[in-house]
Amino acid sequence: MNQKGFSWKSSLLKEIDFYLVTDSGLSKKGTLSNVKDAVNSGCRIVQYREKDKSTKEMVEEASEIKRICSGRAIFLVNDRIDVALAVDADGVHIGQDDMPVETARKLLGEDKIIGLSVNDREEAILAEKLGADYVGLGPIFDTATKKDAGEGIGSLKIREVKDAIKLPVVAIGGINKDNCESVIQNGADSLVSISAVVCSDDVKRETKYFIDMIRRNKKSIRRSKRTYSLLFSTLCLHF
Ligand code: TZP
Ligand code: MG
């Protein structure tokens, strides 16, 4: 990966908080409406995840999503590298059984973002070695949204993965308003909550809730770290 591409992508990815993944099967108001509402609410990363539409429909919808996201949010396509290339998306999100990361990189080039789904520390370390730009870690909790997701790994696993890699970690799976703080407190850089957001009547309100919660928690983590290091240096001076 070239240095220019790396710094551009890593600084962009550092900025993300709530991550919208679309789901037309679950959505109450439709994918385009969900993307508009989320981006208008301040969401800075959108993944178009569509399992049931024709390629033609996907290319049309993806180009509309790209227009909505333009200059405001990173736009990624799930699985479909052909669709991402067709609309010149910012990148893709792929799973362990999709196109290998190295092949996706050859097709997309160094400047595009590649996110890889991982289930544990070992897969995360490999994702970093293979040149992924971020990992999607999950499922954190049990979820009915993805039938083959497996059992939730629990939010303590986020810390284990964060300590093992430098890439941003996006937590996914079964995350809702009741459990989301533990996800950020355990080190996730960003989180996805598909059903809690797209099944709602008010996607703007739900998106804003998650963005505010993430920023508030990250701020309190930074504050505690500063207090801890101040305390540590004061102790070092005295002993
Ligand atoms: N990958 C792992 S779990 C999952 C995906 C796409 C589904 C997450 O959906 P929800 O509704 O946020 O649990
Ligand atoms: Mg996939």
Side-chain angles (χ1 to χ4, degrees), residues 51 78-79 93-96 98 146:
K51 303 288 180 190
N78 181 280
D79 284 1
H93 182 90
I94 50 185
Q96 292 287 323
D98 298 326
K146 190 175 191 287

Side-chain angles (χ1 to χ4, degrees), residues 211-226:
I211 291 176
D212 290 347
M213 179 282 301
I214 295 168
R215 291 192 183 157
R216 195 174 58 245
N217 276 276
K218 283 186 179 176
K219 205 169 164 185
S220 93
I221 294 168
R222 277 198 302 272
R223 204 178 299 129
S224 319
K225 274 188 188 156
R226 272 202 304 273

Side-chain angles (χ1 to χ4, degrees), residues 11-24:
S11 58
L12 201 64
L13 285 166
K14 263 192 207 126
E15 297 295 311
I16 63 173
D17 27 56
F18 177 73
Y19 181 142
L20 179 78
V21 175
T22 69
D23 190 320
S24 62

Side-chain angles (χ1 to χ4, degrees), residues 75-236:
F75 169 45
L76 308 179
V77 177
N78 181 280
D79 284 1
R80 297 287 303 269
I81 292 176
D82 54 341
V83 176
L85 284 169
V87 303
D88 191 27
D90 298 314
V92 293
H93 182 90
I94 50 185
Q96 292 287 323
D97 297 327
D98 298 326
M99 180 86 71
V101 175
E102 310 94 301
T103 316
R105 179 62 72 204
K106 276 191 197 133
L107 291 168
L108 290 165
E110 294 298 333
D111 282 343
K112 296 293 183 191
I113 292 170
I114 299 180
L116 182 65
S117 295
V118 301
N119 186 246
D120 56 27
R121 184 180 175 274
E122 282 61 43
E123 285 183 356
I125 292 171
L126 190 58
E128 186 164 63
K129 274 198 192 123
L130 293 173
D133 297 299
Y134 75 88
V135 296
L137 175 67
I140 305 298
F141 305 108
D142 293 350
T143 177
T145 303
K146 190 175 191 287
K147 300 285 171 267
D148 61 352
E151 264 180 38
I153 56 173
S155 51
L156 291 180
K157 292 279 173 192
I158 302 169
R159 174 64 51 211
E160 211 177 287
V161 168
K162 272 299 285 182
D163 289 344
I165 60 170
K166 290 199 179 78
L167 298 179
V169 174
V170 178
I172 185 167
I175 301 169
N176 54 42
K177 283 182 175 174
D178 296 330
N179 58 27
C180 59
E181 296 215 18
S182 73
V183 168
I184 301 300
Q185 287 293 338
N186 279 295
D189 297 284
S190 169
L191 65 80
V192 174
S193 179
I194 302 183
S195 42
V197 172
V198 307
C199 296
S200 163
D201 268 328
D202 194 339
V203 167
K204 269 192 191 156
R205 185 194 59 211
E206 298 309 298
T207 304
K208 181 142 182 11
Y209 176 89
F210 282 108
I211 291 176
D212 290 347
M213 179 282 301
I214 295 168
R215 291 192 183 157
R216 195 174 58 245
N217 276 276
K218 283 186 179 176
K219 205 169 164 185
S220 93
I221 294 168
R222 277 198 302 272
R223 204 178 299 129
S224 319
K225 274 188 188 156
R226 272 202 304 273
T227 312
Y228 180 79
S229 70
L230 200 67
L231 206 67
F232 185 73
S233 26
T234 314
L235 281 173
C236 286

